[in-house]
């Protein structure tokens, strides 16, 4: 006579660390935050490249520009810098959000965000002032 053995399999629910409603593990959230942080660093590189390109262009050719050329150059510069600054601001905000989802809270996150934004806006204003002084 043959004896049948029956195996019972229990199911175990795996709950991800972090925020389960997002369907991501904590490591995935930290990786996404790290990616956003890397993109923010790239926008800072773009910001400084544009800033110094403007300053050098104004130093070399500022006196030679007509009033209309000067106004158009400044409008284009301000539009591009505004987009760059807003992109940087949003990327840092997203970085802070994803890291907060993962359960890590920084005491200086908001101060860093506002501080760097104010610094970059001040640099743009100073570069416009420099271009105006060179022109006159």
């Amino acid at each position: 006579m043959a004896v049948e053995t029956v195996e019972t399999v229990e199911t175990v629910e795996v709950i991800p660390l972090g925020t389960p409603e997002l369907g991501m593990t904590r490591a995935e959230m930290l990786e996404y935050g790290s990616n956003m942080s890397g993109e923010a660093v790239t926008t800072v590189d773009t910001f400084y490249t544009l800033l110094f390109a403007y300053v050098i262009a104004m130093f070399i050719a500022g006196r030679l520009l007509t009033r209309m050329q000067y106004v158009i150059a400044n409008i284009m510069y301000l539009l591009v810098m505004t987009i760059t600054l807003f992109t940087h601001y949003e990327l840092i905000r997203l970085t802070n959000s994803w890291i907060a989802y993962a359960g890590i809270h920084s005491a200086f996150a908001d101060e860093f965000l506002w501080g760097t934004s104010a610094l970059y806006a001040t640099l743009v204003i100073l570069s416009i002032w420099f271009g105006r002084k060179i022109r006159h």
Side-chain angles (χ1 to χ4, degrees):
M1 194 152 97
V3 177
E4 291 183 31
T5 56
V6 178
E7 292 184 33
T8 59
V9 179
E10 294 182 31
T11 59
V12 176
E13 181 181 3
V14 177
I15 300 172
L17 296 173
T19 310
E21 62 268 11
L22 294 176
M24 298 172 75
T25 65
R26 187 173 188 202
E28 290 170 330
M29 291 176 207
L30 290 172
E31 182 179 354
Y32 197 71
S34 176
N35 289 342
M36 291 291 110
S37 178
E39 292 295 323
V41 169
T42 302
T43 60
V44 170
D45 291 343
T46 302
F47 173 83
Y48 283 118
T49 301
L50 293 171
L51 179 77
F52 287 109
Y54 174 83
V55 168
I56 290 169
M58 282 297 131
F59 185 75
I60 293 172
R63 290 182 211 102
L64 305 174
L65 297 175
T66 66
R67 179 182 294 252
M68 186 56 70
Q69 290 171 333
Y70 177 74
V71 168
I72 290 171
N74 279 322
I75 289 171
M76 290 187 320
Y77 171 69
L78 286 173
L79 285 174
V80 171
M81 290 304 267
T82 301
I83 291 168
T84 304
L85 287 176
F86 280 131
T87 302
H88 176 73
Y89 178 86
E90 186 63 19
L91 286 168
I92 292 293
R93 193 189 64 75
L94 284 171
T95 298
N96 292 340
S97 296
W98 281 105
I99 289 176
Y101 285 146
I104 299 172
H105 299 284
S106 172
F108 301 108
D110 290 335
E111 289 81 4
F112 176 76
L113 181 59
W114 287 106
T116 57
S117 298
L119 173 67
Y120 297 149
T122 303
L123 288 174
V124 170
I125 292 167
L126 287 174
S127 68
I128 294 292
W129 174 82
F130 176 80
R132 188 169 187 277
K133 287 293 185 184
I134 289 292
R135 182 148 170 9
H136 297 305

